[in-house]
Amino acid sequence: MEPSHPDSPDPLYWVTPRHLAGDDGALAERIGDTLTGLGWRMWPTSRNTLLYVSPDGLRGAEWILAAYPFELGGLPVAWQLSARPHAASAMTEWNAYFTAGVPHEALADLLLALDACATPDAGFEGAEAVLTALGERGWLRDMDRPRTTATDPGFSASVSLEMLPPLIHDADPRDDLLGWQAWAEPVLGAPYLWCASFSASAPHELVAAFASSLAAPGPVPRRMLPEGAEDRLTVVHRS
């Protein structure tokens, strides 16, 4: 099935797997709609970003693509999520970063879980919660690192507890901390489709919510197919 082109009508594709479906070129709009629906306030900043804050002031999400702060896996970061212990706190407890191309459904489900947290700055589950969530979706634990890493059955995406890359901010200043990293690589050695990074203090249960949604088996609707992933997708066209 050929992908859609800008000068063609608007065909709708139902695509699997979700982790290779891309963001349909609508990551800002879809996540903005999710946050607005949750009652988060939004205002533009002097850095040409869009900052959303939850009603209690403990949770934040910022569309930062225009500011181009840094890259993950060679891709510019598009969304930054954060949580703080008190609304007046200047320091965030943890942060999470997502590049363009990440499936908006997975990021939206993470935000729904974050919004529902009574204490968004702290977690109660261990790292096993993330791997269990992926295993329930059929993802495979890495034979060499079964306690820290899982991969989809097609070996095109991974979620792994790794040393943090540069510029990932966390309330714990130590430089030897581990944080959850996720990425999609449709073809081995080819550019990444998307990347995500959670700082060390991000609650494992929130990472598990993102991972479970990422690995959800149902098809998702798309009007655009991501370049480089077409051959790895199962696509059904519906006029």
Side-chain angles (χ1 to χ4, degrees):
M1 179 71 65
E2 291 296 322
S4 60
H5 297 283
D7 57 352
S8 65
D10 270 339
L12 182 65
Y13 302 99
W14 288 91
V15 180
T16 59
R18 177 180 291 188
H19 63 265
L20 294 180
D23 62 10
D24 216 19
L27 188 60
E29 294 82 358
R30 294 299 179 89
I31 299 306
D33 289 346
T34 297
L35 294 168
T36 300
L38 292 171
W40 291 33
R41 294 170 293 134
M42 184 276 286
W43 57 88
T45 74
S46 61
R47 299 182 297 120
N48 295 317
T49 70
L50 298 177
L51 176 63
Y52 295 79
V53 177
S54 62
D56 61 9
L58 300 181
R59 292 149 258 247
E62 190 170 7
W63 173 256
I64 56 178
L65 187 62
Y68 209 109
F70 62 95
E71 295 183 345
L72 290 174
L75 300 170
V77 173
W79 279 100
Q80 178 180 348
L81 310 187
S82 61
R84 62 190 73 239
H86 309 287
S89 174
M91 175 72 73
T92 57
E93 191 69 18
W94 59 266
N95 293 273
Y97 307 82
F98 305 85
T99 71
V102 68
H104 53 76
E105 294 90 353
L107 186 49
D109 284 341
L110 168 59
L111 284 163
L112 292 173
L114 173 60
D115 186 76
C117 280
T119 55
D121 62 309
F124 303 98
E125 299 288 340
E128 181 65 22
V130 179
L131 300 172
T132 297
L134 290 168
E136 290 174 350
R137 298 293 200 185
W139 282 39
L140 310 172
R141 295 199 187 211
D142 187 280
M143 293 182 62
D144 297 323
R145 298 181 294 170
R147 296 180 181 272
T148 61
T149 305
T151 305
D152 79 288
F155 299 99
S156 58
S158 297
V159 176
S160 184
L161 196 58
E162 306 268 357
M163 290 291 294
L164 292 173
L167 304 177
I168 303 301
H169 297 293
D170 192 86
D172 191 326
R174 290 175 294 173
D175 58 7
D176 59 347
L177 300 174
L178 303 179
W180 287 103
Q181 317 298 309
W183 64 91
E185 188 179 15
V187 178
L188 186 63
Y192 292 114
L193 178 59
W194 58 264
C195 297
S197 183
F198 295 81
S199 75
S201 300
H204 297 295
E205 51 262 49
L206 291 180
V207 182
F210 173 77
S212 180
S213 180
L214 184 69
V220 291
R222 292 292 185 268
R223 297 189 182 279
M224 298 166 50
L225 303 186
E227 184 178 352
E230 299 97 323
D231 293 340
R232 302 299 305 273
L233 294 170
T234 298
V235 182
V236 178
H237 176 263
R238 189 184 76 173
S239 60

